[in-house]
Amino acid sequence: MDDTTNTKQDSFKELSQKKRSSIISEFWFFLKHNKKWWLLPILIILLLLGLLVLLGGSAVAPFIYPLF
């Protein structure tokens, strides 16, 4: 094997040993570096709607319905 192959294998091995980042930190990194800040309000609204759907089927539902 030549030296470049060993270097590539060593770098691949180092990357595989690293701790994986969470989905939230990956998303934050994406927003910050790609300047896609318009995605943040969409994500917040989707999370709030999902929370309402989950709470709508629970004992909290009678307290949510008067809000609308």
Side-chain angles (χ1 to χ4, degrees):
M1 283 199 229
D2 60 342
D3 193 36
T4 58
T5 307
N6 283 338
T7 306
K8 286 180 183 178
Q9 286 179 347
D10 289 341
S11 92
F12 181 75
K13 193 179 284 188
E14 285 177 25
L15 287 174
S16 69
Q17 303 278 327
K18 276 185 157 180
K19 182 181 177 272
R20 292 186 62 181
S21 55
S22 69
I23 187 83
I24 296 169
S25 65
E26 289 270 342
F27 186 68
W28 183 252
F29 180 80
F30 172 77
L31 289 177
K32 194 164 89 172
H33 291 281
N34 292 317
K35 308 285 192 250
K36 303 283 187 188
W37 297 111
W38 56 270
L39 285 173
L40 202 56
I42 295 170
L43 181 69
I44 291 170
I45 295 298
L46 285 173
L47 289 174
L48 288 175
L49 284 174
L51 183 67
L52 275 175
V53 167
L54 285 176
L55 292 178
S58 68
V60 183
F63 301 106
I64 294 174
Y65 293 132
L67 296 176
F68 300 102

